[in-house]
Structure formats: structure tokens, C-alpha cells
Amino acid sequence: MVEKENKSIDQATNEMIEKAASDGCSVVFDRAESMKPCPIGSVGSCCQNCSMGPCRVPLTKGKEETPEAKKKRRGVCGATAETIAARYFARMVASGTAAHSDHARKVTETFLAVARGEAPGYQIKDEQKLLQLALDLGVEISERSNEEIAIDIGEIAMKEFGRQEGEILFLKRAPLKRQELWRKQGVTPRGIDREVVEIMHRTHMGVDQEYKSLLKQAVRTSLADGWGGSMIATELQDVMFGTPAPVLGRINLGILREDEVNLIIHGHEPQLAEMLAVVAQDPQIVEYAISKGAKGINLAGMCCTANEILMRHGIPLAGNFLQQELAIVTGVLDAIVVDVQCIMQGLADVAQCYHTKVITTDSRARIEGAMHIEFDEHNAAEIARDIIRTAIDNFPNRSGSIRVPKQETDLIAGFSHETINYLMGGLFRASYRPLNDNIINGRIRGVAGVVGCNNARVTHDSAHVAMVKELIKNDVLVLQTGCSAMACAKAGLMVPEAAAEYAGEGLASVCEAIGIPPVLHLGSCVDNARILVAATMMVKDGGLGDDVSDLPVAGAAPEWMSEKAISIGQYFVGSGIFTVFGVNWPTLGSKGVTDFLFKDFEEMYGGMWAFEADPIKAAQLMIEHIDKKRKALGIDKARDRILYDMEARRELDAA
Ligand code: BF8
């Protein structure tokens, strides 16, 4: 059975794993015990791209490979270990880009429907951002209504997916030097769909069989994610639902209520979640819940949809990726509503042990055994009402054992790029200048983006929290998204008081002066685009070089599991950011591919990959990189002066 002690650093999670076991219900942690990862596939040495295989080309463990042995490591068609690993990696990037971008396409459809007055209940909430977007995209403003402007923006955004030539429009937001580098390397993406399709073509049997060429297309495609699909999703969501501003929230399974109807929305696209947030407050529907014996309706989020509605409404977060089944295990979850991405099929099985209804809402993401209520933005309020009524009707069906963990933690979220700008510079002189100044004077050593998933192969949340604590202790300001943000929120790192408790002296002094936590929650995984914008703003505000690759910054995903994480990491790297991943690395079966990604990329893009499973060592790699950049900028001395404490000074004097 489950050894609960090592499954998570989070007590609520361990408690629910134990409860699942005593209820005779198997969850992801149990499945990870019985299903060991394939050692050949996990390092990119298994090719399944045609029916002559699957071909496995594993390295012989513990032996230096001879040239003869290397020659023999080939698939039936003759594909080398390099080609096989590069194809595997490129397809991960394509899948991740497709996921973020199909999300963005759906958001764009909703945006156009709102602009055309065909999506009652939604509106354009952030006029300022709409106008900024119009300026960025060259849309005429003059005397036109917001709706007219929004139609033009929506149509331009929609064309980005099917564009066949030219350059993706948001690339123009990047520093000029970076744009030139992309052109020189031949990785400027033309259209989002085109780049994804091209990877699928090139990786088909018998097409591109040169690993450097495959990886070049992987970079191009990932840029179509970060500066394309993900950025479109973030921008249009902000215009429709509001740009996030600091908001107090709560996180962990303890936010579920025994005496209320509990409804969790899980997935990634915020359109339905936004409407559920509105309808759940309707007095009539609350009255209906009371008529069934509940005290009210408790709407909560899970995974990235949760981050979206937390950022804009302060709606509580039930938990991150590995906690999705455990919310059902509490016995008080009346319905879990899912849209797309990161939804475990296991939800349907776990729900069989309890009374929870699993409701799928998107035709692209059906689950056998789940109930389906299709979402349609043209009729969103009605559908949201139907879903909430289904949850309420299920409230009296609770049976079996009930136990809600006590853990719930406060966090401050809502740090959009605009908010950071405002907090740093004030309303009338919003800018990144104070951030840059504090980096230059050494109080802040650098900035790290720590993002990504949970992974059942790693003690839940442990790597995120260990890495982020190490970074802030060393005066590195941390920006977070996705499940990583949730892990650190649960650990209490996202409240202003965390600065005094966990951050180094320099970082703590800046956080205290501004009143921010040392770890900032920027939102969902598509909101990693906000990190690209923040990095660009740091370059543009001056004093830290003239490209993203000059900045003392680094990225990480210490518990990654999804292909989206690989795509995100690749666009960080392609944008000039050193990025380190934990857990495992999907090209270790090929030294050539791995060296190319880890070493040659630095020369080509100014950013490169690294793999380090130990989160503290990984944090130290990030700090080393930050220090290398500080030195290149000539600001390493400033830091030495600032951070010497009295004891260190005395030691120096004595020397
Ligand atoms: O998109 S961090 S497990 S929920 S993939 Fe998924 Fe990973 Fe969580 Fe958000 Ni991102």
C-alpha cells in the first residue's frame, strides 16, 4: 500500500492519500508505484513513428560508447539515436504549443463573439488594455467603439494561427536585438499552426533526419507558443475578464466545506469558470442550494483554471495537479467540472468510490464514464446554471466517509506585468526602473521564473518549495505560474511576511519597502507570456544590457511532467533565458542532442537548457548563471558591497 510519508510535503495531500487507501480507492500516487517509467522511452530512445518499430536504441549503461557501438544504435530505417531523440523532443514542443495555442484560438473565438454582441453575459472589462493592444497591433482607435476595435483585434489575432508567411506579430514586442537574432538563426515563426504542422511533417518517417535541423524547428515552434498562442490567450483574457491586480486568496483542500455544495472547476480555459463565478452568486441559485440542505455554494478551482479565477476574483484554489483526485477523496466534492488539459482520466474511476459527478464540458476533452454538459459561449450563463444545479442536486447524495483536511493557506496573487510595473514605479511613473535599480545595486541578485507541474515521480511539491526557498534566500526574486505557484503558495511563500522569514537581507528589504511577497504569482501556464513581457520591460528600462540574454535571470520547472512544460522551457531558452528542468530529461539517450541543447544553444540563442534533479543544486546553477550575467554587466561588485554583513566585514578586515 501507499507509503504516505514520502508522497508529498503537504500534510493535506498525505492525509487524503491515506484516506483513499482506507476507502479502497486507488489514486495517482498508487498507480505511480505499480507503473514504473520505461527507462528507454523516458530518455528519448524509443521511436514509434512507423510500424516497423517501435525501435529502441538504448545506451549501454555504465560503458563509454565505442564508435562501432554507436553505429549499431539505429532503428530499422537507419535512424540514429540523435534523430530519434530530436524527433521525440520536437514532437513534445509541437504538442505543448498546440495545447496552448488551441486554448488561445478558443479564447479568440469567444473574444470575437463578445465583440460582436453574440456572447451575452461577457463584456470587455479592461478598456485600457484593449486600447494598448490596438496600438500594438496597429488597429485604428479614433472615435470607434470598444466593440469595433475589439472585432479588429480579434480578427487580427485569429489570423495569427493560420498565417502562412511573414512573422508572428507579438514578436515585435521583444528587444530589437532578440528579433534580429531570431531572424539570423532562421527561427522567426511564421504562423502558429504552420510551425506545429511542420514539426509533425518533419518528424514523420523518412523526412528530417538531421538533429540540429529538427531542433531548429523546435525552437521556431516554441516561439510561436510563447510569443504567439500563449501571449494571445493572456492578452485577450485580460481584456475580457480584467487584468489581474493583487488579490487575497486561499489554497489547499481545506477550502472545501462540509456544509456547502462544493464545486471545483479544473482545467485551463477560463471562459466557463468566469461565468460559474458570476452565476454561483445569483441569489436564486444560492436559494436552491439552501433548499437542498446546504448552507451555500463553494466554488473553487484546480490547476490553471483555478489560477485564472483566483487572479481575477480571489476564488479559492483547491490544489495543484497531483491533488485533483484527492479533492474527490474528501467525500464532500459534489461535482468537478473540467475543460481541457491536465485532467486525469483517473478522476472518473476515483469518482466511482464516492458520490462526485465528473462533468466534461468541451468536445475536445471527453472522459469515459463522465457526464457531459457542452459549454458554448453564446449561451454561457444558462450552461453555468445547469452545471451548478447538477452539483446542488448531487449534494444530498453524499454517502460514505467524509474527511476534509484542515490545511488552507493565505496567498496574494494577481501580479500581472502591469501590476509589477505599477507597484515598482507608482501610478504616474509606472516602470521597471526600481526593479532594475535594485538589481544593479545588488539588493536583488536576479530574477527567476519557477514554473510548471507536479510529477508523481517526485515527492509532491518538494522540489518547487526547496528550489524557491534557496533562490529567495540568495536574494533572487521569484516569479511563478501554474502548479509551481500553487506549491509555494501552500508553503506560505506568497504572503508579504514571507520576505522577512525566508528571503535574504537584500531581497527582503525591497519586498518590505514595496509591500510584496518575495515570490510573485503571475497566473496560469499561458501567463508565462507575462514573464517574457516582464523580461523585455527590464531590458527596455535600461542598465541591464540590450537583450533578454544579458539579464541576470533564469528559469526552471523542477517537477515538470507535461509537454506544455517542454514548450515553455524551449521558448524561455529561445528567448535567451537559461532554463533548468528536474525529474528527468527526455533526450539523455543521445549525447549529441543533449549537448546541443545544453551547450551549443548558449552560443546560438544566449539561453540554454540544463537538467538537474536535485532542486538545491538546480537553484545553485541558476544563481551561478545569474552571477555570470551580473559579472558580464559589471554589476557584480555592487552586490559584494551591499551584502557584506558586519561579521563578514570583520573577517575581511582581519585578513
Ligand atoms: O498548464 S503546471 S500540471 S495545470 S501543465 Fe498542467 Fe503543468 Fe499544472 Fe496548468 Ni501547466
Side-chain angles (χ1 to χ4, degrees):
M1 248 14 252
V2 174
E3 300 156 35
K4 69 182 169 74
E5 293 80 19
N6 338 325
K7 299 302 172 199
S8 176
I9 57 163
D10 168 42
Q11 217 184 315
T13 299
N14 286 327
E15 200 184 313
M16 286 304 101
I17 294 170
E18 189 188 16
K19 179 175 184 298
S22 68
D23 292 349
C25 184
S26 162
V27 294
V28 56
F29 296 90
D30 305 302
R31 295 191 296 269
E33 287 278 296
S34 55
M35 168 70 71
K36 294 295 170 208
C38 165
I40 301 170
S42 63
V43 294
S45 292
C46 176
C47 180
Q48 300 189 49
N49 295 13
C50 85
S51 75
M52 295 193 288
C55 295
R56 286 146 299 152
V57 291
L59 267 170
T60 316
K61 264 209 168 145
K63 279 193 189 162
E64 189 64 28
E65 191 170 38
T66 62
E68 289 71 37
K70 190 165 190 270
K71 261 190 205 158
K72 282 192 195 144
R73 282 212 298 142
R74 287 178 181 259
V76 173
C77 73
T80 60
E82 276 61 48
T83 300
I84 289 171
R87 284 202 294 226
Y88 178 53
F89 183 83
R91 281 197 171 192
M92 291 178 103
V93 171
S95 172
T97 301
H100 286 142
S101 302
D102 209 40
H103 165 165
R105 188 194 326 269
K106 197 84 178 164
V107 166
T108 309
E109 283 174 356
T110 304
F111 185 85
L112 276 166
V114 173
R116 290 174 181 145
E118 295 164 358
Y122 295 112
Q123 52 186 295
I124 290 164
K125 276 207 181 138
D126 190 337
E127 186 184 34
Q128 208 181 338
K129 187 139 187 174
L130 177 86
L131 299 180
Q132 184 56 52
L133 209 46
L135 289 173
D136 287 356
L137 296 173
V139 170
E140 189 193 331
I141 296 175
S142 60
E143 300 298 306
R144 302 172 79 208
S145 70
N146 284 349
E147 287 68 26
E148 286 171 311
I149 295 168
I151 289 172
D152 280 4
I153 290 174
E155 285 174 350
I156 289 172
M158 193 56 93
K159 285 195 186 124
E160 291 294 275
F161 299 96
R163 177 201 281 280
Q164 298 303 318
E165 52 196 28
E167 297 181 356
I168 281 182
L169 293 172
F170 281 141
L171 293 170
K172 287 198 181 65
R173 289 180 163 182
L176 283 176
K177 202 168 163 193
R178 181 67 17 191
Q179 296 180 41
E180 281 159 20
L181 184 150
W182 288 332
R183 286 185 201 112
K184 186 179 131 230
Q185 293 292 349
V187 296
T188 307
R190 298 153 291 186
I192 300 164
D193 295 354
R194 177 161 192 179
E195 305 310 345
V196 173
V197 168
E198 192 166 309
I199 283 198
M200 297 313 286
H201 178 200
R202 286 184 192 223
T203 56
H204 184 275
M205 191 270 148
V207 187
D208 200 351
Q209 287 152 115
E210 207 282 303
Y211 71 90
K212 294 182 182 174
S213 167
L214 283 160
L215 296 172
K216 179 173 163 182
Q217 179 60 17
V219 175
R220 190 181 211 179
T221 305
S222 73
L223 295 174
D225 177 351
W227 298 87
S230 286
M231 204 169 277
I232 290 172
T234 292
E235 295 290 310
L236 300 190
Q237 286 168 190
D238 279 357
V239 173
M240 266 190 292
F241 308 133
T243 302
V247 61
L248 176 65
R250 287 171 298 123
I251 183 164
N252 215 343
L253 293 167
I255 58 97
L256 295 172
R257 297 286 175 251
E258 280 193 40
D259 52 4
E260 294 183 31
V261 173
N262 291 298
L263 171 63
I264 284 180
I265 172 93
H266 168 28
H268 284 76
E269 294 177 1
Q271 296 94 306
L272 170 60
E274 281 287 327
M275 197 51 83
L276 286 172
V278 173
V279 174
Q281 290 172 14
D282 179 337
Q284 264 184 349
I285 201 103
V286 174
E287 203 47 53
Y288 185 60
I290 291 168
S291 79
K292 296 281 178 176
K295 282 208 172 136
I297 300 166
N298 183 31
L299 176 67
M302 179 72 73
C303 287
C304 280
T305 302
N307 285 325
E308 299 280 3
I309 51 175
L310 162 77
M311 298 276 282
R312 299 193 178 92
H313 303 281
I315 286 174
L317 304 161
N320 52 5
F321 178 68
L322 283 180
Q323 292 180 289
Q324 55 186 282
E325 292 169 330
L326 303 179
I328 297 177
V329 173
T330 60
V332 299
L333 184 58
D334 302 300
I336 181 160
V337 187
V338 302
D339 50 73
V340 291
Q341 299 169 25
C342 304
I343 298 145
M344 288 190 198
Q345 189 165 356
L347 284 180
D349 287 341
V350 177
Q352 299 272 316
C353 304
Y354 304 90
H355 81 298
T356 309
K357 288 231 184 295
V358 179
I359 306 173
T360 55
T361 59
D362 192 300
S363 59
R364 296 166 298 175
R366 302 286 299 252
I367 298 178
E368 212 177 310
M371 172 180 192
H372 189 74
I373 302 177
E374 183 114 354
F375 174 68
D376 175 5
E377 66 264 26
H378 301 95
N379 192 20
E382 198 55 38
I383 293 161
R385 195 171 298 276
D386 195 11
I387 288 170
I388 296 177
R389 284 182 79 98
T390 305
I392 294 171
D393 288 339
N394 201 27
F395 176 79
N397 297 334
R398 286 185 193 173
S399 59
S401 76
I402 284 176
R403 184 167 11 129
V404 179
K406 293 205 166 34
Q407 288 74 17
E408 51 177 315
T409 310
D410 283 350
L411 77 152
I412 308 281
F415 292 94
S416 55
H417 135 72
E418 289 82 351
T419 300
I420 297 174
N421 212 11
Y422 163 67
L423 286 172
M424 291 284 171
L427 186 56
F428 297 109
R429 52 184 175 89
S431 92
Y432 275 60
R433 191 72 245 160
L435 174 64
N436 285 16
D437 285 346
N438 278 301
I439 290 174
I440 291 165
N441 70 26
R443 284 194 189 93
I444 296 177
R445 190 171 192 159
V447 181
V450 182
V451 308
C453 324
N454 290 141
N455 187 312
R457 305 296 173 196
V458 176
T459 303
H460 173 233
D461 288 349
S462 63
H464 294 299
V465 174
M467 173 183 278
V468 169
K469 280 187 176 169
E470 182 69 14
L471 289 168
I472 60 177
K473 187 177 89 184
N474 285 285
D475 295 306
V476 176
L477 176 69
V478 176
L479 311 182
Q480 292 213 277
T481 60
C483 291
S484 184
M486 297 188 186
C488 292
K490 280 182 277 175
L493 301 179
M494 288 190 170
V495 286
E497 303 79 60
E501 195 171 346
Y502 300 105
E505 212 180 308
L507 176 62
S509 68
V510 177
C511 290
E512 278 157 19
I514 306 176
I516 56 170
V519 184
L520 304 182
H521 193 332
L522 271 72
S524 67
C525 285
V526 291
D527 292 335
N528 284 312
R530 297 189 201 277
I531 297 182
L532 296 179
V533 177
T536 302
M537 293 308 295
M538 286 167 70
V539 173
K540 290 188 175 165
D541 258 313
L544 293 174
D546 49 12
D547 193 1
V548 175
S549 57
D550 295 330
L551 297 171
V553 301
E559 296 181 29
W560 76 281
M561 66 87 202
S562 117
E563 293 165 314
K564 290 182 286 170
I566 289 287
S567 180
I568 292 165
Q570 185 54 74
Y571 73 65
F572 271 30
V573 168
S575 300
I577 301 171
F578 168 67
T579 301
V580 54
F581 269 36
V583 191
N584 61 13
W585 182 252
T587 70
L588 288 178
S590 161
K591 187 170 178 326
V593 170
T594 306
D595 282 353
F596 193 62
L597 295 169
F598 289 15
K599 295 177 188 159
D600 300 18
F601 264 24
E602 182 169 22
E603 187 88 349
M604 297 165 72
Y605 302 108
M608 66 292 195
W609 286 97
F611 163 58
E612 174 52 66
D614 180 326
I616 301 292
K617 286 187 189 155
Q620 283 157 0
L621 288 179
M622 295 162 82
I623 293 167
E624 266 171 39
H625 179 81
I626 283 169
D627 285 350
K628 185 170 95 179
K629 294 294 169 184
R630 294 187 65 84
K631 191 161 188 208
L633 289 164
I635 55 173
D636 49 329
K637 296 286 178 293
R639 189 178 154 70
D640 287 349
R641 278 198 304 276
I642 288 289
L643 289 184
Y644 277 4
D645 59 21
M646 283 315 288
E647 203 178 330
R649 278 180 204 288
R650 264 181 236 121
E651 273 174 26
L652 265 188
D653 290 345

